[in-house]
Amino acid sequence: MKPFVYSANPARVIFGTGTIAKLPEEVKRLGLSRPLVLSTPEQSGHATKVEELLKSAGISCVGQFNGATMHTPADVTEKALAVVQAGNVDGVISIGGGSTIGLGKAIALRTDLPQIVLPTTYAGSEMTPIIGQTENGVKTTQITPKVLPEVVIYDVDFTMTLPVGLSATSGINAIAHSVEALYAQNGNPVIDLMAAEGVRALATSLPKIVSNSSDPDARSDALYGAWLCGSCLGLVGMSLHHKLCHVLGGTFNLPHAETHTIVLPHAVAFNAPCIPDALANLAKALDNDDAVDGLNVLLSKLNVKKGLKEIGMPEDGIDKAADLAVKNQYWNPRPIEREGVRELIRRAWAGEPARADIQ
């Protein structure tokens, strides 16, 4: 056994069906008396349900801020902070996916307010000390324990109505966390187990959800897998895949989950020559003899878009993205060179099947 270091992130996780009923208890346990509920405009109905639940338990709620949006723009954060200050808010409750959770983290970064998160997608941001923010068209990331939520309540009921398309891309987004964890520079045997199990749970459940979106067992398994994958993201460093997705999303305002979905098999194919052990673990989790083929097959089963051009990236952005991706050096199992990265992006833009032959 090789020596390793394992550091767990502190978090209280409540998992199950109907677990939103635990929310008032958790609010009181944290000593909150004036929480603010965060959501996107589309999730305002969920936010209202949260607010009503708190009021029925005798907990005053400052109200809602429903302006969360993808990539956590700085101007949206400033608007939310104005509500926080005006309402003397003492904690935030984020209900939604990565956009809402990102806003909660941005508020916590600036105020140290405690967070309770109720995820409604499989993105996994709730389990990480990572925050990505966008300003003037540039997305930057930061790692700090200040943005870790204090409590995460996973309620399968809130994922039952998640649209099939978003379920698929959100699930692949989660799988991407575990995939890169399998070959992380600071990986360890515990993370390997969590990552492989997270991939297996999602790769098995997502096709079932596409066939029957109201399958409660598949929904539960997918949320379980997303928790494991998100935990991996929060415990080890990521590399080329996540770097590229942040560059592409922030530069071209591409949808987060769809970008991860399209890029993932190509990023794995790029790194393939340097990660034989990780590929073996990933192939087994995908129930395929070949990891890259396993990802291609899974995406085909899920009927997702496979080209960046389909989600709004212009062809003349390929070179710009390649330049940005290699601008600042970061660890990756294979050396980051512009020519190879550009070819990776080109294939992802065109929607070609991933192939482990990028020079």
Side-chain angles (χ1 to χ4, degrees), residues 31 33 37-39 44 77 85 91 100 103 114-115 123 143 158 164 171 187-188 205 212 216 253 271 315 328 352:
S33 60
V37 182
L38 307 176
S39 78
S44 60
T77 300
Q85 293 163 359
T100 304
L103 177 59
Q115 306 169 75
I143 299 176
F158 279 102
V164 167
N188 60 67
S205 59
N212 178 13
N253 197 34
N271 282 323
E315 185 174 8
N328 298 313
E352 298 176 4

Side-chain angles (χ1 to χ4, degrees), residues 264-273 275 279 292 295 334 344 347 354-358:
L264 179 60
H266 298 283
V268 173
F270 176 89
N271 282 323
I275 53 170
L279 286 182
V292 174
L295 290 171
R334 175 178 170 177
L344 186 169
R347 293 182 184 187
R355 307 185 309 276
D357 61 356
I358 299 176

Side-chain angles (χ1 to χ4, degrees), residues 55-74:
K55 288 181 179 179
S56 68
I59 300 172
S60 299
C61 185
V62 171
Q64 303 177 31
F65 180 85
N66 308 122
T69 190
M70 65 180 183
H71 306 307
T72 318

Side-chain angles (χ1 to χ4, degrees), residues 41-338:
E42 296 79 11
Q43 298 272 8
S44 60
H46 286 336
T48 297
K49 183 174 182 178
V50 167
E51 192 174 5
E52 292 173 347
L53 176 63
L54 294 176
K55 288 181 179 179
S56 68
I59 300 172
S60 299
C61 185
V62 171
Q64 303 177 31
F65 180 85
N66 308 122
T69 190
M70 65 180 183
H71 306 307
T72 318
D75 61 327
V76 173
T77 300
E78 291 302 319
K79 292 176 183 177
L81 284 171
V83 176
V84 167
Q85 293 163 359
N88 195 26
V89 168
D90 59 3
V92 295
I93 300 171
S94 304
I95 182 162
S99 297
T100 304
I101 296 167
L103 177 59
K105 288 181 171 184
I107 292 171
L109 178 66
R110 293 161 174 80
T111 64
D112 273 336
L113 289 177
Q115 306 169 75
I116 299 176
V117 177
L118 293 95
T120 60
T121 71
Y122 306 133
S125 175
E126 66 278 356
M127 296 306 299
T128 79
I130 305 167
I131 178 170
Q133 302 178 92
T134 304
E135 188 169 11
N136 298 322
V138 178
K139 187 169 186 177
T140 58
T141 58
Q142 181 178 349
I143 299 176
T144 169
K146 289 180 67 174
V147 303
L148 274 171
E150 279 69 17
V151 179
V152 179
I153 300 176
Y154 288 105
D155 190 334
V156 177
D157 286 343
F158 279 102
T159 66
M160 294 300 295
T161 56
L162 187 65
V164 167
L166 183 55
S167 297
T169 56
S170 178
I172 298 298
N173 182 14
I175 285 176
H177 308 330
S178 279
V179 169
E180 289 221 304
L182 285 170
Y183 53 78
Q185 185 179 27
N186 57 340
N188 60 67
V190 178
I191 292 296
D192 288 349
L193 290 170
M194 294 172 65
E197 174 65 1
V199 172
R200 184 207 61 77
L202 280 160
T204 302
S205 59
L206 291 177
K208 295 178 182 178
I209 290 170
V210 169
S211 297
N212 178 13
S213 64
S214 59
D215 182 334
D217 291 333
R219 288 290 187 181
S220 182
D221 288 346
L223 194 58
Y224 160 70
W227 165 57
L228 289 173
C229 293
S231 297
C232 291
L233 174 64
L235 292 170
V236 295
M238 299 286 108
S239 46
L240 178 62
H241 169 80
H242 281 77
K243 172 69 172 181
L244 273 181
C245 289
H246 278 285
V247 166
L248 293 166
T251 304
F252 304 106
N253 197 34
L254 304 181
H256 183 80
E258 287 90 337
T259 303
H260 275 270
T261 299
I262 293 167
V263 171
L264 179 60
H266 298 283
V268 173
F270 176 89
N271 282 323
C274 303
I275 53 170
D277 292 342
L279 286 182
N281 287 338
L282 178 57
K284 184 177 180 180
L286 293 169
D287 194 24
N288 191 297
D289 293 334
D290 181 270
V292 174
D293 181 61
L295 290 171
N296 286 334
V297 169
L298 178 58
L299 265 56
S300 293
K301 287 181 180 179
L302 301 182
N303 300 317
V304 295
K305 294 176 181 177
K306 298 177 183 177
L308 293 172
K309 64 181 180 180
E310 299 178 67
I311 61 172
M313 180 180 169
E315 185 174 8
D316 61 9
I318 294 173
D319 283 303
K320 182 178 181 179
D323 290 339
L324 290 171
V326 301
K327 184 176 181 179
N328 298 313
Q329 289 300 308
Y330 49 92
W331 185 88
N332 189 68
R334 175 178 170 177
I336 303 294
E337 296 177 349
R338 188 186 185 282

